[in-house]
Amino acid sequence: MAKEKGRKMIAQNKKARHDYLVIDTYEAGLVLTGTEVKSLRQGRASLADGFVQIDGHEAWLHNVHVPEYSQGTWTNHSARRKRKLLLHRLEIEKLESKSQETGHTIVPLALYFKDGRAKIEIALAKGKKEYDKRQTLREKQDRRETERAVSAVRRKQGA
């Protein structure tokens, strides 16, 4: 069987980018069981309530929903079990020290396969206030409106 190449997206946490200010991102491997991998290959997962916690110099992913594999038997996994993340020791130490600061947390942003291996993109993030969220939305809408206006002018010039 030929080895997979490239990056195949499984799930994204768009709400995290809205609710948090992303300071730094990391790519981590996941320790998974066989039925979890099969379920992920079907493209089924949810990162909505997920977070990362550092326990005893190990990073653990909590509350990520990977549904049970439909053809699985008694060996099936539990859907919301905690999963170990594979990171370098220095990365874990940096994340641990930064997450101790007030308002900082570690959230999952994306879950994907990279060259056949399950990877997760996690971010050290700081919670946004409500007015920051509104400001971000306003900037996004303004940028969209200017792009529309520019494209409308270009269409008129071309016609």
Side-chain angles (χ1 to χ4, degrees):
M1 189 167 127
K3 188 175 178 181
E4 284 184 43
K5 294 287 182 192
R7 185 171 163 166
K8 180 188 169 202
M9 188 61 66
I10 300 167
Q12 284 186 316
N13 190 356
K14 293 180 181 176
K15 189 178 180 203
R17 292 202 186 266
H18 179 263
D19 291 342
Y20 298 99
L21 175 66
V22 175
I23 298 168
D24 202 4
T25 60
Y26 299 88
E27 181 180 70
L30 284 160
V31 176
L32 300 171
T33 64
T35 54
E36 285 176 320
V37 175
K38 290 183 177 195
S39 184
L40 289 177
R41 290 210 184 275
Q42 291 178 342
R44 302 166 52 202
S46 173
L47 301 174
D49 300 326
F51 64 95
V52 176
Q53 196 171 31
I54 310 290
D55 285 333
H57 303 293
E58 291 181 337
W60 294 91
L61 181 66
H62 294 268
N63 274 1
V64 170
H65 187 263
V66 178
E68 290 186 352
Y69 182 57
S70 56
Q71 281 84 37
T73 58
W74 58 273
T75 59
N76 237 335
H77 62 280
S78 61
R80 287 202 184 265
R81 76 176 188 90
K82 70 178 190 174
R83 295 163 179 92
K84 186 176 180 179
L85 296 181
L86 304 173
L87 288 161
H88 291 282
R89 181 178 50 85
L90 294 175
E91 290 176 331
I92 291 174
E93 288 173 1
K94 183 179 178 185
L95 283 171
E96 187 173 19
S97 67
K98 289 287 190 176
S99 65
Q100 300 297 328
E101 295 177 18
T102 307
H104 288 81
T105 187
I106 308 167
V107 292
L109 296 179
L111 183 61
Y112 53 90
F113 281 104
K114 181 178 176 184
D115 296 335
R117 299 189 189 278
K119 302 284 184 179
I120 189 159
E121 183 180 18
I122 60 174
L124 178 65
K126 186 173 176 126
K128 283 185 184 177
K129 304 282 187 222
E130 194 64 37
Y131 58 84
D132 289 334
K133 294 178 191 177
R134 285 194 296 267
Q135 180 67 28
T136 305
L137 280 174
R138 194 173 303 116
E139 289 171 0
K140 191 175 179 182
Q141 287 173 341
D142 291 344
R143 193 168 41 250
R144 202 177 289 146
E145 286 174 12
T146 57
E147 287 173 4
R148 282 186 189 143
V150 168
S151 64
V153 168
R154 286 185 182 152
R155 269 184 280 160
K156 286 181 181 178
Q157 288 176 349

